[in-house]
Amino acid sequence: MTDAPDFDMDLARAEAIARRLSTLTFAWDIEKALEFALFRTYAVPAISGLLARTGAFETATRKRYDDTELLLSEPMEHGLDSARGAEAIARINAIHGRFRIDNREMLYVLSTFVLEPIRWMEHYGWRPFTGEEKRAWVLVYRALGARMGIADIPEDLAGFEALNAAYEATQFRQAESNARIGKVTLDLLLGFYAPKVLFPVLRPVAYCLMDRPLLVAMGFPEPPRWLRWVVLGGMKARAMVLRELPKRRRPRFITARKRPTYPGGYVISQLGNGPVGAGR
């Protein structure tokens, strides 16, 4: 997965590539990958503990999900330095400014945004990212991180991989807050596809998309080997079908989606009441 940095690629070109990937080429897949990216951060007690202490994530889970998704999607879909993108980043920074968040935690969360979509497409997508797409994806998130005031951001994909692996090796561990935040988040995501009565059946399916270190840190059970084989086989079959189908021609913008949380639309400056990028 490692690729060299491309210092000749300008940000505008990188943003255009990243926007195409997230709204056209891999619209559904990247949204799911970013959900799992944030889910990984809940395996870090310092991050899940902050969410648990604020309380809003458990009492207003859907609103927290929508607020974080919208604030992170505005810069990607409209441009980091567009009026909407800049306002969203300013809002993220204002929210973070109310909490004491270690730079290492911010770096780790940023690394999941970079790596999980690339990994997801390698495992489940109808094709992996190209070298150019990887470089563009890294460049856009490096630029986002810089605008969020994050220090010591890796220069390339290899740097993000090394940072991510080292952080998870030392910071993934079981905690009561991991399980609490993980469960409400997983149930929210399952609720997008099925009624609550089916959650006990669907949770093991979701566990099949998680690696063992994540399962252990979250306190989730290891799914049966046969079920993991079925689920992963189904994802590969889906990829084969998508490879042959006509490709999406109209972009799918997350910021344009109708939401029960905001039936009349939303105002960027009023989104969020907890740390963004540590809960979705």
Side-chain angles (χ1 to χ4, degrees):
M1 185 170 72
T2 302
D3 212 329
D6 187 346
F7 295 109
D8 294 329
M9 182 182 293
D10 61 64
L11 182 58
R13 178 182 166 203
E15 285 187 286
I17 293 171
R19 187 176 303 113
R20 185 190 72 232
L21 291 172
S22 59
T23 64
L24 276 171
T25 313
F26 304 121
W28 183 87
D29 290 89
I30 285 182
E31 184 176 7
K32 297 304 113 180
L34 290 174
E35 288 173 358
F36 272 91
L38 284 166
F39 203 84
R40 294 193 77 81
T41 69
Y42 307 151
V44 178
I47 295 174
S48 66
L50 176 58
L51 289 172
R53 288 194 299 274
T54 64
F57 194 85
E58 293 174 277
T59 59
T61 309
R62 179 60 194 265
K63 182 180 185 303
R64 286 285 292 113
Y65 172 96
D66 286 343
D67 287 358
T68 303
E69 183 173 55
L70 289 168
L71 286 171
L72 292 173
S73 297
E74 284 285 353
M76 179 66 75
E77 295 182 358
H78 299 289
L80 294 170
D81 296 324
S82 68
R84 295 184 66 89
E87 185 179 4
I89 295 170
R91 180 60 182 153
I92 292 172
N93 292 338
I95 293 168
H96 285 172
R98 302 203 304 264
F99 302 90
R100 295 182 63 182
I101 305 176
D102 189 278
N103 188 69
R104 292 172 300 175
E105 295 166 16
M106 298 283 284
L107 275 173
Y108 172 65
V109 175
L110 186 67
S111 77
T112 67
F113 295 164
V114 172
L115 297 175
E116 292 308 311
I118 295 173
R119 290 169 174 167
W120 180 282
M121 244 51 70
E122 288 179 347
H123 294 140
Y124 312 126
W126 62 270
R127 69 164 175 83
F129 276 30
T130 66
E132 180 185 54
E133 289 167 347
K134 290 178 186 178
R135 293 191 292 273
W137 196 255
V138 169
L139 182 56
V140 168
Y141 276 101
R142 289 191 78 246
L144 174 62
R147 286 159 177 75
M148 290 172 60
I150 301 175
D152 303 319
I153 300 173
E155 292 187 349
D156 54 22
L157 188 56
F160 277 108
E161 290 174 326
L163 182 152
N164 183 271
Y167 191 89
E168 290 189 355
T170 59
Q171 301 301 319
F172 265 26
R173 60 182 186 274
Q174 286 190 350
E176 187 267 344
S177 58
N178 296 5
R180 280 171 53 193
I181 299 302
K183 183 180 183 303
V184 297
T185 303
L186 183 56
D187 285 356
L188 171 71
L189 299 178
L190 292 176
F192 293 158
Y193 301 99
K196 192 171 183 178
V197 68
L198 294 180
F199 288 4
V201 176
L202 293 177
R203 285 190 195 110
V205 174
Y207 299 156
C208 292
L209 300 176
M210 304 179 196
D211 57 69
R212 182 166 178 75
L214 178 59
L215 290 170
V216 171
M218 298 299 291
F220 291 158
E222 180 78 31
R225 186 174 300 178
W226 67 265
L227 181 60
R228 190 183 287 274
W229 184 85
V230 169
V231 171
L232 298 186
M235 294 296 287
K236 290 185 182 297
R238 169 185 173 273
M240 291 176 62
V241 171
L242 288 177
R243 205 170 292 130
E244 303 303 322
L245 291 178
K247 303 303 178 279
R248 178 184 292 274
R249 294 186 177 181
R250 297 181 61 183
R252 175 177 175 265
F253 291 105
I254 287 174
T255 55
R257 184 179 303 161
K258 294 186 181 298
R259 300 165 186 268
T261 314
Y262 297 106
Y266 63 92
V267 177
I268 293 174
S269 62
Q270 296 176 3
L271 294 174
N273 57 2
V276 173
R280 191 161 182 190

